[in-house]
């Protein structure tokens, strides 16, 4: 373990922060401050259809109101496409990526036809249709401008690493990775040279994050992130996946269910200390 830690909070500006976000941000911030370490803030805004600048601005404002401070400038993912493209190029140069022309509807149709298709953490596993295209067909379809995503060829990636992978979960120890549960994941979407899995792993490495603090819903993703780290020669941070906040009926707080936003609590007259306490108490 390094002498001190660097951890982060990495929200996507697709809405206003709610208590669940406050809990996650506070956990990371306290972990850093108690250890005399660094706390970074990163906006994961690669999905232009869902992210909005006004939510990005609101996130900074709400976190500052809550009493959090962060070290260094805020990293905004959409400003760094060239960096993600270079990481993709390195994987492509080793023959680990292939273009996938399938639409979502085509994939779902094929999965439905196959009867019981296996599911991974991101949904039904890709049936591998475009992995089987000939180089000629790939070139022809790219030449006419057909849009394509880039998928990791999981079998090739696993063949390229020599030993089993593990990640370090704080309080649990070493966990053996099973990246194959993702099938052939998308590392670059049709409309952008990147995907959540690629960009988050890239940035944690680039920013020197030694402790990834995030909700336990993202724990399965770590199995894939560890593989990307090894393929790309990036260091392995430790992970602290925390439980998600739940409402009185036990359902996890989510934007779509109109969980109380920090902004609404503030407008209702709650102080930042009260909201900090609420975020702590709401936890089982
Ligand atoms: N941007 C992701 C989200 O808002 C979190 C990424 C992470 O912490 O690894 O769900």
């Amino acid at each position: 373990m390094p002498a001190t830690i660097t951890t982060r909070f990495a929200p996507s500006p697709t809405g206003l922060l709610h208590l669940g976000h406050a809990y996650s941000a506070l956990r990371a911030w306290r972990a850093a401050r108690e250890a005399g370490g660094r706390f970074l803030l990163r906006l994961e805004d690669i999905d232009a259809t869902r992210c909005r600048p006004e939510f990005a601005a609101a996130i900074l404002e709400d976190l500052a109101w809550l009493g959090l401070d962060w070290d260094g400038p805020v990293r905004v993912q959409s400003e760094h496409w060239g960096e993600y493209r270079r990481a993709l190029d390195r994987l492509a140069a080793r023959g680990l990526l292939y273009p996938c022309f399938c639409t979502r509807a085509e994939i779902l149709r094929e999965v439905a036809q196959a009867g019981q298709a296996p599911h991974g953490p991101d949904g039904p596993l890709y049936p591998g249709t475009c992995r089987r295209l000939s180089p000629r067909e790939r070139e022809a379809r790219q030449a006419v401008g057909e849009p394509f995503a880039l998928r990791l060829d999981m079998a090739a990636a696993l063949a390229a690493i020599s030993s089993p992978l593990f990640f370090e979960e704080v309080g649990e120890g070493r966990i053996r990775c099973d990246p194959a549960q993702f099938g052939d994941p998308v590392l670059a979407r049709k409309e952008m040279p990147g995907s959540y899995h690629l960009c988050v792993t890239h940035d944690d490495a680039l920013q020197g994050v030694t402790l990834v603090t995030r909700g336990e819903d993202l724990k399965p993703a770590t199995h894939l992130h560890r593989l990307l780290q090894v393929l790309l020669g990036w260091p392995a941070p430790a992970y602290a996946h925390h439980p998600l906040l739940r409402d009185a009926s036990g359902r996890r707080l989510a934007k779509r269910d109109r969980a109380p936003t920090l902004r609404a609590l503030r407008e209702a007259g709650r102080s930042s200390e009260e909201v900090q306490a609420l975020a702590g108490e709401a936890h089982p």
Side-chain angles (χ1 to χ4, degrees), residues 67-277:
L68 272 61
D69 59 343
W70 46 91
D71 298 303
V74 177
R75 181 171 169 95
V76 180
Q77 287 192 325
S78 62
E79 294 170 0
H80 299 280
W81 292 120
E83 294 170 36
Y84 306 131
R85 200 184 288 277
R86 279 196 288 282
L88 290 166
D89 287 347
R90 289 176 55 208
L91 293 171
R94 293 173 64 188
L96 300 180
L97 302 181
Y98 64 87
C100 173
F101 304 91
C102 294
T103 62
R104 198 179 289 266
E106 281 166 350
I107 296 173
L108 290 178
R109 206 175 315 127
E110 212 171 310
V111 164
Q113 275 165 9
Q116 34 138 316
H119 266 63
D122 290 346
L125 293 195
Y126 178 61
T129 324
C130 288
R131 192 189 334 109
R132 294 185 284 269
L133 294 178
S134 68
R136 248 179 88 169
E137 188 164 355
R138 279 181 190 158
E139 272 169 38
R141 291 174 76 167
Q142 288 181 16
V144 295
E146 201 177 324
F148 60 90
L150 290 174
R151 289 184 181 271
L152 181 70
D153 183 333
M154 183 57 76
L158 292 176
I161 58 167
S162 47
S163 46
L165 300 177
F166 296 87
F167 67 91
E168 188 71 28
E169 178 73 25
V170 174
E172 270 180 59
R174 263 170 26 127
I175 295 181
R176 173 124 185 210
C177 297
D178 172 23
Q181 64 184 303
F182 281 85
D184 289 352
V186 169
L187 294 191
R189 288 164 52 175
K190 282 185 176 163
E191 62 287 3
M192 61 181 87
S195 70
Y196 161 66
H197 295 301
L198 181 85
C199 299
V200 75
T201 312
H202 174 279
D203 285 359
D204 283 335
L206 178 88
Q207 295 189 283
V209 168
T210 61
L211 176 68
V212 171
T213 308
R214 62 184 174 202
E216 66 189 3
D217 53 327
L218 289 170
K219 196 170 183 183
T222 305
H223 293 252
L224 173 58
H225 298 177
R226 185 72 201 105
L227 173 62
L228 295 178
Q229 287 157 2
V230 171
L231 293 173
L232 287 155
W234 294 334
Y239 290 84
H241 293 100
H242 58 72
L244 299 174
L245 287 199
R246 299 190 180 273
D247 64 15
S249 61
R251 278 158 48 98
R252 60 181 275 205
L253 296 186
K255 284 172 208 171
R256 61 181 172 279
D257 299 326
R258 299 204 188 80
T261 63
L262 302 189
R263 199 143 285 216
L265 292 164
R266 175 180 166 185
E267 279 161 11
R270 302 287 197 137
S271 70
S272 55
E273 290 78 13
E274 279 176 306
V275 173
Q276 282 205 19

Side-chain angles (χ1 to χ4, degrees), residues 19-24 26 66 245 262 274-283:
L19 270 185
H21 295 112
Y23 174 70
S24 191
L26 281 162
L66 195 59
L245 287 199
L262 302 189
E274 279 176 306
V275 173
Q276 282 205 19
L278 270 179
E281 279 160 20
H283 193 262

